[in-house]
């Protein structure tokens, strides 16, 4: 199953819960772009050095542990350090590099080949698994998305204000939507869902209903 959409639409929360309900693996593909961006920052690779970034993406050993609760890069637990707005911004830049995308898409496909997965990101239904059994484009209004992101960051104790978060989200979205390589677009056969004004439970139920319609109760689909 593929869930794509802009930042703050609720993809991670919904994908994690739906995967839990169906008893299948949840994979956060954005964490992989974040991990490569973190590594580049850590060792001083410039975010416009396409060649080195492609090498890093190829060499990165990215593991998801405990149902994707922990993200491990080359043996280092990077779960928390990749969640800052700075790494989000850097990940969005790194994600414009075609060679980086190729390397990470290969890794994502290998994960989805091994077992049934719910994978969320920007290009899962369009590029990574175009034959996914269930595809969802999860969207929300700019206000709802910024509000969610702000709450998330505040809960983690980050000192950020609303206008900073709104600016960051809209800049990242326009980059993700306008890049030449695998931009964020809705796949023609994806179901559009707007999470603004809906509770997590409501969105989760809509997604599960779709899964039940498309498959025999979530069993027997690969991705
Ligand atoms: O979902 P996220 O906010 O953690 O993703 C971070 C960045 O990674 C996002 O701005 C764009 C990029 N990304 C991508 O290009 N393709 C994906 N499948 C997932 C994320």
């Amino acid at each position: 199953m593929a869930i794509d959409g802009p930042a703050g639409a609720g993809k991670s929360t919904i994908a994690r819960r739906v995967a839990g309900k169906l008893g299948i693996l949840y994979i956060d593909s954005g964490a992989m772009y974040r991990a490569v961006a973190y590594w580049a920052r850590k060792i001083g690779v410039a975010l416009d050095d396409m060649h080195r970034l492609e090498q890093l993406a190829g060499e990165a050993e990215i593991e998801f542990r405990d149902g994707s609760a922990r993200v491990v890069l080359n043996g280092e637990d990077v779960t928390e350090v990749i969640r800052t707005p700075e790494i989000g911004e850097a990940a969005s830049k790194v994600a414009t590099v075609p060679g980086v995308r190729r390397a990470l898409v290969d890794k994502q496909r290998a994960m989805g080949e091994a077992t049934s997965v719910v994978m969320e990101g920007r290009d899962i239904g369009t590029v990574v698994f175009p034959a996914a059994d269930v595809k969802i484009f999860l969207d929300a209004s700019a206000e709802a998305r910024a509000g969610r992101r702000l709450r998330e960051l505040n809960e983690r104790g980050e000192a950020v204000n609303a206008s900073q978060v709104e600016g960051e989200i809209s800049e990242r979205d326009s980059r993700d939507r306008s890049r030449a390589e695998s931009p964020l677009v809705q796949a023609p056969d994806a179901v559009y869902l707007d999470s603004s004004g809906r509770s997590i439970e409501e969105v989760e139920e809509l997604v599960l209903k779709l899964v039940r319609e498309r498959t025999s109760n979530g069993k027997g689909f690969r991705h």
Side-chain angles (χ1 to χ4, degrees):
M1 168 151 90
I3 304 183
D4 292 301
K11 298 186 300 295
S12 307
T13 306
I14 295 301
R16 187 187 299 280
R17 290 174 68 113
V18 166
K21 280 270 163 72
L22 298 175
I24 64 178
L25 190 66
Y26 158 61
I27 296 172
D28 169 3
S29 69
M32 300 171 76
Y33 291 90
R34 286 174 182 265
V36 172
Y38 167 77
W39 195 10
R41 276 286 178 79
K42 184 176 169 184
I43 63 174
V45 170
L47 295 182
D48 58 2
D49 186 343
M50 310 232 291
H51 182 67
R52 283 288 287 135
L53 290 174
E54 179 176 348
Q55 268 183 343
L56 291 189
E59 285 167 18
E61 279 186 28
I62 303 166
E63 287 170 74
F64 291 99
R65 295 191 188 152
D66 303 337
S68 278
R70 312 299 311 172
V71 185
V72 178
L73 167 72
N74 303 328
E76 176 188 350
D77 189 322
V78 295
T79 313
E80 278 84 27
V81 289
I82 61 170
R83 291 293 153 201
T84 63
E86 293 71 34
I87 295 294
E89 174 79 8
S92 169
K93 288 184 181 151
V94 158
T96 63
V97 179
V100 168
R101 303 204 68 83
R102 257 193 314 274
L104 296 187
V105 167
D106 281 351
K107 293 185 204 293
Q108 290 152 9
R109 287 191 179 139
M111 292 174 182
E113 234 114 75
T115 178
S116 293
V117 295
V118 176
M119 195 176 288
E120 52 103 349
R122 306 292 188 288
D123 62 341
I124 311 306
T126 49
V127 175
V128 182
F129 296 129
D133 297 297
V134 181
K135 293 186 191 179
I136 289 159
F137 192 88
L138 190 60
D139 203 358
S141 67
E143 299 74 48
R145 295 191 290 113
R148 246 182 227 133
R149 214 13 80 84
L150 186 65
R151 276 195 300 280
E152 253 172 49
L153 292 167
N154 283 337
E155 273 163 25
R156 279 207 297 273
E158 302 227 7
V160 282
N161 65 46
S163 63
Q164 200 182 335
V165 171
E166 275 164 32
E168 185 252 341
I169 280 213
S170 75
E171 194 187 321
R172 200 143 70 85
D173 279 348
S174 52
R175 188 184 301 112
D176 295 345
R177 287 181 195 273
S178 64
R179 67 179 175 229
E181 189 82 9
S182 311
L184 168 65
V185 284
Q186 182 180 345
D189 55 347
V191 173
Y192 182 89
L193 270 184
D194 189 330
S195 68
S196 339
R198 285 187 163 122
S199 70
I200 291 171
E201 290 76 16
E202 281 173 303
V203 179
E204 181 188 331
E205 193 38 53
L206 287 170
V207 173
L208 287 171
K209 188 164 166 275
L210 203 71
V211 172
R212 287 194 291 267
E213 281 165 16
R214 299 275 163 103
T215 66
S216 45
N217 209 17
K219 301 281 183 296
F221 75 91
R222 285 179 53 230
H223 33 249

